[in-house]
Amino acid sequence: MGFSLKSIVGAAAITVSALAFSTVSSSAEKVRIALGDVASVETLSLLVALERAKENGLDYELTTFGKEGLAIQAIISGQMDLGIGSPYSVIQKSKAPIRNFFQLSKLVFFPVAEVKYKTWQDMDGEPITLHSRGGGTDAIANIIAKREGITFGQRSYVPGSENRIVAMLKGQVNASIVDISNKNILMSKSEGRFHTLPGLDGRASDEILFANQNWIDDNQESVAILVESLLKTWQEVNEDPTIVDRERKRFNLLSDLPEELLSEVDAYYQEAVDGGLYDPNGGGADAARADFEFYGEAGQLAGDPATLKVEDFWNLGPLNAALAKQ
């Protein structure tokens, strides 16, 4: 893909700036959404769905947090209304009435490392940089370490695959786990310095929309508008990935990103669809059961995955209602 290093660095600067200046809305009427990531090409499909929901009456404000854990904590504390992340461990450990209700994306990630690490055995005791503590890439690292019989050295956390590959290209990071698009960028720009190591075949949830159950009950209309918009958007993206860029232009989203990045939106979403990133049915019970297996093996969920109950982690009502209307 035709990204330049200058463009990647520019994108990283923009997303870091967005983190620094995000504010929480003081309006009680707005749905306050916490994103534990950076606003980028990866999140464009979500931004499109939110803007479509806004056209149908959803008043919202999206706030980006530097770490997924901060976004989850903002939901538990009531500072924010809706969160985006993978809160399984927090739900189980805290007993907080937090429930997932829409799978935004699956874990389609690739381990990348300097070529001096020929196998996973060479990574024993070596540092690795991941997206967030307790998140999907952390879980992947746990499973790989268990499978390969190794122990990683220091784990550092840098949100955003694009930011991690910038650090790799600058010689600051030796190994990471990144998404499809940024894996390809790294391979094309690193002049043979990096390669991929064996990953996982499973497709557990990466990003899920979740909220306090009481908030879901008290805001059923807003939840319905959002879920229906997400479901429609995800289905359209799977049918025609170019819809994302067309809607980006219509809503003038991420207009500050370099043109080199924006010109690759179609290619990114084609790769994402080919990789099975977006479930056209929003996840639901099937996603929950796959997640029990994955996050259980990763050590982030306690107990036999077969005994875990979907209703303890998911509220399927909004998604089932949206599917029934189609």
Side-chain angles (χ1 to χ4, degrees), residues 50-124:
L50 288 173
E51 287 299 296
R52 287 175 157 192
K54 186 175 182 180
E55 289 183 321
N56 290 324
L58 181 75
D59 191 9
Y60 79 92
E61 181 164 286
L62 182 69
T63 300
T64 55
F65 288 77
K67 296 180 180 180
E68 181 178 305
L70 295 177
I72 295 173
Q73 186 57 45
I75 303 301
I76 294 175
S77 67
Q79 179 189 12
M80 306 293 283
D81 302 316
L82 298 178
I84 297 166
S86 48
Y88 282 100
S89 178
V90 172
I91 292 173
Q92 187 178 62
K93 291 178 180 178
S94 70
K95 304 298 183 182
I98 304 299
R99 293 294 181 269
N100 302 315
F101 61 93
F102 194 93
Q103 184 194 69
L104 295 173
S105 61
K106 298 179 184 180
L107 275 168
V108 183
F109 280 81
F110 297 84
V112 290
E114 288 190 352
V115 293
K116 67 180 180 180
Y117 302 113
K118 295 181 175 60
T119 71
W120 280 117
Q121 302 308 311
D122 297 326
M123 281 292 299
D124 191 24

Side-chain angles (χ1 to χ4, degrees), residues 51-266:
E51 287 299 296
R52 287 175 157 192
K54 186 175 182 180
E55 289 183 321
N56 290 324
L58 181 75
D59 191 9
Y60 79 92
E61 181 164 286
L62 182 69
T63 300
T64 55
F65 288 77
K67 296 180 180 180
E68 181 178 305
L70 295 177
I72 295 173
Q73 186 57 45
I75 303 301
I76 294 175
S77 67
Q79 179 189 12
M80 306 293 283
D81 302 316
L82 298 178
I84 297 166
S86 48
Y88 282 100
S89 178
V90 172
I91 292 173
Q92 187 178 62
K93 291 178 180 178
S94 70
K95 304 298 183 182
I98 304 299
R99 293 294 181 269
N100 302 315
F101 61 93
F102 194 93
Q103 184 194 69
L104 295 173
S105 61
K106 298 179 184 180
L107 275 168
V108 183
F109 280 81
F110 297 84
V112 290
E114 288 190 352
V115 293
K116 67 180 180 180
Y117 302 113
K118 295 181 175 60
T119 71
W120 280 117
Q121 302 308 311
D122 297 326
M123 281 292 299
D124 191 24
E126 294 295 307
I128 189 168
T129 301
L130 306 165
H131 174 75
S132 65
R133 190 183 305 276
T137 56
D138 212 23
I140 291 173
N142 289 345
I143 293 175
I144 288 173
K146 180 180 178 181
R147 181 188 71 190
E148 301 292 335
I150 64 173
T151 301
F152 289 115
Q154 181 180 355
R155 296 192 187 195
S156 301
Y157 299 96
V158 175
S161 288
E162 63 269 43
N163 293 329
R164 296 196 296 281
I165 68 162
V166 167
M168 295 183 79
L169 290 167
K170 293 172 68 174
Q172 299 168 341
V173 170
N174 296 331
S176 185
I177 299 175
V178 300
D179 64 21
I180 300 171
S181 177
N182 283 287
K183 181 264 294 184
N184 291 342
I185 297 169
L186 182 66
M187 295 301 107
S188 68
K189 296 297 179 184
S190 63
E191 299 179 344
R193 290 167 49 205
F194 298 96
H195 70 142
T196 60
L197 289 170
L200 304 180
D201 294 330
R203 288 291 182 264
S205 299
D206 179 23
E207 301 286 7
I208 310 172
L209 196 62
F210 62 91
N212 186 294
Q213 180 61 58
N214 296 327
W215 188 90
I216 295 174
D217 291 339
D218 292 340
N219 296 272
Q220 294 182 33
E221 182 178 356
S222 293
V223 171
I225 292 172
L226 179 54
V227 171
E228 289 171 19
S229 179
L230 284 165
L231 194 61
K232 182 175 185 291
T233 301
W234 264 223
Q235 291 171 352
E236 290 184 4
V237 171
N238 275 284
E239 292 175 1
D240 178 10
T242 65
I243 189 68
V244 177
D245 197 44
R246 293 202 300 274
E247 291 290 82
R248 176 193 68 79
K249 293 172 181 175
R250 182 166 76 90
F251 292 119
N252 194 32
L253 297 170
L254 298 184
S255 57
D256 290 337
L257 283 181
E259 184 57 38
E260 293 93 334
L261 287 177
L262 295 178
S263 68
E264 297 290 348
V265 172
D266 284 348

